[in-house]
Amino acid sequence: GESVGLHLPTLSVQEGDNSIINCAYSNSASDYFIWYKQESGKGPQFIIDIRSNMDKRQGQRVTVLLNKTVKHLSLQIAATQPGDSAVYFCAEISGSNDYKLSFGAGTTVTVRA
Amino acid sequence: NAGVTQTPKFQVLKTGQSMTLQCAQDMNHNSMYWYRQDPGMGLRLIYYSASEGTTDKGEVPNGYNVSRLNKREFSLRLESAAPSQTSVYFCASRVTDTQYFGPGTRLTVL
């Protein structure tokens, strides 16, 4: 069936380095993608989104890249900080499903001091 | 502006007991959602409500019922709790394409 998944369950990053979190999706009809950050004991928090008619979108210290050819998106975090330690989820929506999000399993990012 | 709020934060039930998880949003959003999150997994949709007065099943609706009481409130009910329903439950509301999540309810069924 259709699914959204992340390549690696964990990522350890040195403070100050850049982080790259990857996500693969299989639903070619997906037209909207969101990255969420979930800190321990909290609900998911919106980070950045991208539509399928875009290849790249930048926010504050974050960039999302979308490669529709290989059905892959990534989240890049510049100058990773201790506060970036969290679980990161990609989620996708296809326009025909009443805006129901499909989530991947998540990548746990740990920032080393 | 509190966003999405959920009560209770924690709950322990015995098998067969019933309870209602409460969710409210003060952002005047039309759509609301209930998800569950199990260890090592992403969120899975239980039920959603596209607007006041409507509800629809999501990916994992069995064992749950919902009520969209008004535009602000969307409750999730477990009529006869089972250990398989031990999970963290998140409520969300949506504006345009973005969903905003509450802090979650951690439920344990013994």
Side-chain angles (χ1 to χ4, degrees):
Chain A
E2 306 290 7
S3 65
V4 179
L6 290 166
H7 290 309
L8 292 173
T10 61
L11 178 67
S12 180
V13 181
Q14 184 69 38
E15 182 178 356
D17 287 352
N18 296 335
S19 303
I20 299 177
I21 306 166
N22 295 304
C23 183
Y25 65 96
S26 57
N27 185 355
S28 56
S30 296
D31 52 15
Y32 180 62
F33 303 89
I34 309 172
W35 280 100
Y36 283 93
K37 172 186 180 182
Q38 186 176 23
E39 296 175 277
S40 180
K42 296 183 179 180
Q45 178 185 6
F46 173 89
I47 302 174
I48 192 168
D49 59 359
I50 189 167
R51 296 202 173 276
S52 59
N53 61 353
M54 302 171 69
D55 297 322
K56 179 180 179 179
R57 191 167 188 210
Q58 287 185 291
Q60 186 177 11
R61 282 201 308 118
V62 294
T63 301
V64 55
L65 300 176
L66 176 63
N67 185 331
K68 296 179 287 294
T69 302
V70 295
K71 296 178 189 169
H72 178 272
L73 68 157
S74 65
L75 177 70
Q76 300 178 2
I77 305 173
T80 310
Q81 302 171 359
D84 295 327
S85 291
V87 181
Y88 291 81
F89 294 96
C90 61
E92 54 101 12
I93 293 176
S94 65
S96 61
N97 72 352
D98 295 329
Y99 294 94
K100 291 179 286 186
L101 289 170
S102 293
F103 283 84
T107 291
T108 300
V109 173
T110 303
V111 181
R112 306 189 306 272
Chain B
N1 190 341
V4 180
T5 57
Q6 293 182 236
T7 56
K9 285 189 167 63
F10 301 93
Q11 183 70 49
V12 178
L13 293 177
K14 294 180 180 178
T15 297
Q17 286 185 316
S18 62
M19 80 159 296
T20 300
L21 282 64
Q22 306 288 350
C23 173
Q25 52 93 8
D26 60 2
M27 297 175 282
N28 203 36
H29 293 169
N30 285 323
S31 300
M32 298 184 73
Y33 304 79
W34 274 106
Y35 295 86
R36 60 177 288 172
Q37 184 176 35
D38 299 301
M41 299 180 70
L43 282 73
R44 292 183 293 169
L45 182 65
I46 305 171
Y47 270 93
Y48 67 103
S49 171
S51 62
E52 185 178 352
T54 68
T55 61
D56 287 284
K57 295 178 180 179
E59 182 185 354
V60 288
N62 292 344
Y64 305 96
N65 285 301
V66 290
S67 296
R68 184 71 183 270
L69 305 170
N70 46 56
K71 193 171 186 179
R72 288 187 66 249
E73 298 171 290
F74 187 37
S75 62
L76 178 72
R77 183 161 178 83
L78 286 72
E79 289 291 350
S80 179
S84 61
Q85 294 178 304
T86 293
S87 188
V88 182
Y89 291 85
F90 289 99
C91 176
S93 67
R94 180 177 67 83
V95 61
T96 59
D97 295 328
T98 303
Q99 293 188 21
Y100 296 90
F101 288 82
T105 294
R106 185 174 295 274
L107 175 67
T108 301
V109 183
L110 302 175

